[in-house]
Amino acid sequence: DAEVALVGRSNVGKSTLMRELTGHTFDTGQRPGVTRSPNHYDWASEDFVITDLPGFGFMEGVPEDVREQTKTDIVRYIEENAEKILVGVLVVDGKAAIDIIDRHSGPDEVPYDVEMFHFLRDVGIPTVVAVNKMDKVDDRDERLNELCERLGLPTPWQQWRNTVAPITAKRGSIEPMNEAIRHHLHEQGRDD
Ligand code: GDP
């Protein structure tokens, strides 16, 4: 089945977003590191399957090697299913993403969000960055431009509306992301 795959660090609001997209209830605020395998759900209004990949990032009480394994599993799943994954959605926390990215940038370190963004594109999966929790962001344009810079996209962010989608999942305000996803499905002739 054609699918849309969601990836993102723990606590970015992936469960909240999944609830909006599928109508199912999810265990939000779940202890990070608990969901280890990909979960598939029907997208309520579309003829696609949404795959929720495990949240990645700091997980309290979860050993480093388990964290690394989670990441390896995500990458392997995407590689093995790249043919049927029509769109990748990288969910980030609009309020925290820049700080987290900068904290994890270094000579030997590529931040997870940046790594995933490039990885998805490298395996040929059009990717939408769903910038969540925009209700907590007051310098919206500035913040989205900074995110573009970190991801290697020229500013201003407004030229990337098919890639950068500011949303507030908690309030069900996710239309920019749906639009961007539909755009990529349409480009692949899969929006019937
Ligand atoms: P997950 O770990 O990525 O699945 O994240 P959750 O969906 O469990 O959400 C983590 C926390 O972020 C919860 O407290 C949510 O209520 C909160 N959250 C999710 N979406 C939003 C949003 O759009 N705005 C705000 N302010 N908080 C949100």
Side-chain angles (χ1 to χ4, degrees), residues 97-127:
I98 306 291
D99 285 347
I100 293 173
I101 288 172
D102 289 351
R103 207 184 312 143
H104 291 277
S105 299
D108 305 314
E109 207 181 359
V110 179
Y112 177 73
D113 293 320
V114 176
E115 184 182 359
M116 281 313 285
F117 181 70
H118 293 301
F119 167 68
L120 284 161
R121 289 165 45 126
D122 286 348
V123 295
I125 300 174
T127 299

Side-chain angles (χ1 to χ4, degrees), residues 9-16 27-30 132-133 135-136 168-170:
R9 299 179 65 93
S10 306
N11 207 43
V12 294
K14 231 149 49 70
S15 309
T16 307
D27 195 3
T28 53
Q30 176 180 280
N132 192 31
K133 308 195 187 185
D135 58 312
K136 296 209 284 187
T168 299
K170 203 164 97 172

